[in-house]
């Protein structure tokens, strides 16, 4: 029987566990990436996490996919922290200087972004340096002021990262619980099989005694 | 958005006098204006094909039928929250550049011109200028696109916390 699980992915409920895991993979991982992100990198992260599991069940695969997504979000939010700082620095620079009005803001913020990345062209570098002189600030002063200005939003991003860590912890507990449960069941099966074989040996011995 | 400050301020001034939509379709559309992510509405997972497929898949893992249903609903709920999280993150509130960059002091003559036909008092002019200035402060406080998307995504933390707690509980108790 085939089910349309999500995004047109079909899962055959009668297939073996490994195949189910593979079919389920695109369902809950569903890589919704930003335009500048690499899907191959996302999938390789997922595969490396899955390779650490010994014969993963479909549920374990689903949980690991979510874990991988959380790690991906942590990466995004970490980049955002730096972007917030740059945004705040650009705002301060345009406010401190004489070009708060007009289209100076966006041009200055683009120039500052390139300047901080080390990829600024000559005119962009000149614009930023001129704005710094105009505002009577050094780059480190501006960074410190920018951090103070953006503290509220940086705290929000820290909260988002913390939430992802908490989610990862919950997912790890769940994966451990599935793993422990399956091991416990396997051990009980083995013990039961051992008891049964012992019982059958005993039965055979008593039959031998009676016959002799 | 028009770039002429006079036209822009006139449009905003006229919009303030609006009494809202009158037609049924307009009222229906505006009733959804405050809808943000839809995570407060109760989802109906049980009737979806995804839910049934997940329940059957999880059933092969020595979980009770009740636990399977709970885990499948938990998984779908987490997926729903993370989809809303992504949508909120990728579509931040647009920046009103005119309001952010406008020089309110220089706009006072425009305000007085707009108010003059109604025979208004100087008090009205001050109130109007103060109103636009407070809107501008709000707009500037929201910051740039990264600040906006961080603030909006931050509002979804509680939904994520509840979703993952539900899923984790279902798996561990199952």
């Amino acid at each position: 029987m085939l089910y349309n699980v999500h995004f047109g992915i079909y899962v055959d409920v009668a297939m073996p566990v490994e195949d189910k895991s593979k079919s389920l993979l695109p369902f809950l991982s569903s890589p919704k990436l930003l335009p500048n992100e690499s899907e191959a990198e996302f999938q390789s992260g997922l595969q490396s996490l899955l390779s650490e599991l010994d014969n993963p069940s479909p549920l374990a695969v689903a949980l690991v996919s979510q874990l991988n997504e959380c790690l991906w979000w942590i990466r995004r939010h970490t980049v955002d922290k730096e972007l917030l700082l740059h945004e705040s620095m650009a705002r301060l620079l345009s406010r401190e200087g004489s070009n708060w009005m007009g289209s100076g803001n966006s041009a200055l913020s683009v120039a500052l972004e390139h300047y901080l990345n080390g990829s600024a062209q000559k005119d962009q570098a000149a614009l930023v340096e001129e704005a710094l002189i105009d505002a009577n600030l050094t780059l480190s002063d501006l960074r410190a002021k920018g951090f103070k200005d953006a503290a509220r939003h940086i705290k929000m991003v820290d909260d988002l990262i913390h939430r992802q860590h908490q989610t990862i912890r919950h997912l790890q507990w769940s994966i451990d619980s599935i793993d422990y449960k399956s091991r416990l069941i396997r051990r009980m099966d083995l013990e039961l099989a051992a008891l049964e074989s012992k019982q059958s040996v005993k039965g055979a011995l008593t039959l031998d005694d009676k016959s002799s | 958005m028009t770039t002429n400050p006079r036209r822009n301020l006139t449009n905003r001034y006229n919009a303030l006098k609006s009494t809202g939509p009158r037609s049924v379709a307009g009222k229906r559309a505006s009733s959804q204006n405050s809808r943000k992510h839809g995570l407060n509405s109760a989802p109906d997972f049980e009737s979806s094909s995804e839910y049934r497929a997940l329940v059957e898949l999880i059933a092969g893992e020595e979980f009770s039928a009740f636990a399977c249903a709970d885990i499948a609903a938990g998984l779908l709920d987490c997926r729903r929250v993370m989809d809303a999280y992504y949508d909120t993150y990728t579509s931040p509130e647009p920046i009103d550049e005119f309001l952010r960059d406008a020089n309110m002091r220089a706009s006072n003559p425009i305000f007085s011109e707009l108010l003059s036909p109604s025979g208004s008092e100087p008090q009205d002019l001050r109130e109007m200028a103060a109103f636009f200035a407070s809107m501008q402060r709000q707009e500037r406080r929201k910051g740039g696109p990264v600040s906006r998307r961080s603030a909006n995504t931050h509002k979804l933390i509680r939904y994520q916390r509840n979703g993952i707690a539900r899923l984790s509980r279902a798996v561990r108790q199952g």
Side-chain angles (χ1 to χ4, degrees):
Chain A
M1 189 186 284
L2 287 174
Y3 283 106
N4 180 356
V5 176
H6 208 220
F7 301 106
I9 304 301
Y10 287 83
V11 171
D12 186 347
V13 291
M15 67 173 69
V17 170
E18 293 92 53
D19 295 345
K20 274 182 198 172
S21 313
K22 279 174 198 158
S23 312
L24 192 69
L25 217 59
F27 158 46
L28 290 166
S29 66
S30 64
K32 278 188 161 183
L33 301 175
L34 300 178
N36 56 345
E37 291 174 341
S38 145
E39 189 177 342
E41 208 178 328
F42 182 88
Q43 292 297 348
S44 83
L46 180 59
Q47 290 305 328
S48 71
L49 285 173
L50 281 173
S51 67
E52 288 176 23
L53 291 180
D54 180 28
N55 190 19
S57 64
L59 180 57
V61 173
L63 296 174
V64 169
S65 305
Q66 296 219 349
L67 203 146
N68 186 46
E69 197 177 343
C70 288
L71 291 172
W72 201 255
W73 275 111
I74 290 174
R75 275 176 57 164
R76 278 179 189 156
H77 290 320
T78 311
V79 172
D80 277 356
K81 277 172 80 172
E82 194 60 29
L83 289 178
L84 273 173
L85 192 56
H86 292 179
E87 203 177 83
S88 160
M89 284 164 77
R91 195 170 51 241
L92 277 173
L93 203 54
S94 56
R95 198 194 297 162
E96 298 280 330
S98 54
N99 48 0
W100 169 250
M101 301 295 296
S103 61
N105 290 330
S106 54
L108 190 60
S109 67
V110 170
L112 185 70
E113 189 67 45
H114 288 149
Y115 188 77
L116 293 170
N117 289 341
S119 60
Q121 289 167 353
K122 263 186 186 171
D123 55 332
Q124 287 177 327
L127 180 67
V128 172
E129 278 157 16
E130 196 184 314
L132 279 169
I133 293 165
D134 202 21
N136 198 18
L137 287 168
T138 63
L139 200 59
S140 54
D141 286 345
L142 183 67
R143 199 174 173 85
K145 275 193 167 190
F147 190 82
K148 198 178 162 194
D149 197 48
R152 190 168 66 95
H153 286 105
I154 290 175
K155 163 86 175 53
M156 280 183 186
V157 178
D158 276 336
D159 286 347
L160 290 171
I161 293 174
H162 178 67
R163 182 63 250 159
Q164 299 305 331
H165 282 135
Q166 299 281 24
T167 305
I168 288 174
R169 191 176 293 171
H170 272 288
L171 290 167
Q172 278 175 334
W173 284 338
S174 305
I175 294 165
D176 284 349
S177 141
I178 297 170
D179 189 40
Y180 179 71
K181 193 179 174 185
S182 66
R183 269 195 240 169
L184 196 69
I185 289 171
R186 217 177 301 149
R187 188 177 159 181
M188 282 166 69
D189 280 346
L190 285 171
E191 281 183 6
L192 200 63
L195 274 174
E196 277 173 358
S197 68
K198 223 185 250 181
Q199 205 74 15
S200 61
V201 169
K202 254 188 194 173
L205 282 174
T206 48
L207 276 175
D208 284 351
D209 286 349
K210 273 182 189 173
S211 61
S212 63
Chain B
M1 176 74 71
T2 170
T3 50
N4 181 352
R6 181 181 296 273
R7 172 96 332 250
N8 204 315
L9 280 174
T10 310
N11 286 347
R12 284 163 197 259
Y13 174 70
N14 289 333
L16 287 176
K17 293 191 241 168
S18 165
T19 53
R22 290 183 188 174
S23 67
V24 175
K27 285 178 182 174
R28 196 185 304 129
S30 70
S31 74
Q32 298 299 315
N33 281 352
S34 64
R35 186 189 153 93
K36 302 286 181 199
H37 39 66
L39 291 175
N40 284 323
S41 61
D44 176 25
F45 296 130
E46 280 78 1
S47 59
S48 68
S49 56
E50 290 97 330
Y51 174 81
R52 286 194 297 276
L54 271 175
V55 167
E56 286 203 40
L57 275 174
I58 299 163
E61 298 187 35
E62 292 110 9
F63 284 107
S64 66
F66 184 72
C68 287
D70 240 12
I71 294 169
L75 278 171
L76 289 176
D77 195 33
C78 281
R79 183 70 267 147
R80 187 175 77 116
V81 172
M82 290 317 288
D83 284 348
Y85 194 86
Y86 177 86
D87 292 340
T88 309
Y89 183 84
T90 49
S91 47
E93 191 187 337
I95 297 172
D96 187 342
E97 285 184 17
F98 169 76
L99 197 61
R100 185 192 65 188
D101 299 339
N103 185 344
M104 285 300 162
R105 241 175 242 164
S107 303
N108 269 351
I110 305 174
F111 291 143
S112 60
E113 199 180 303
L114 287 170
L115 288 169
S116 58
S118 57
S120 58
E121 302 288 316
Q123 172 72 13
D124 297 335
L125 179 65
R126 276 201 296 277
E127 275 179 16
M128 192 167 169
F131 174 73
F132 275 100
S134 90
M135 278 173 65
Q136 185 177 53
R137 275 198 302 278
Q138 278 181 22
E139 185 61 30
R140 286 184 181 175
R141 205 174 295 137
K142 285 179 186 169
V146 186
S147 312
R148 280 162 201 247
R149 79 177 175 212
S150 305
N152 290 341
T153 321
H154 191 262
K155 290 175 189 157
L156 300 188
I157 281 185
R158 68 191 176 104
Y159 299 99
Q160 209 186 356
R161 183 181 59 221
N162 294 344
I164 193 63
R166 178 187 174 182
L167 173 64
S168 169
R169 200 168 42 241
V171 171
R172 285 185 285 154
Q173 290 177 354

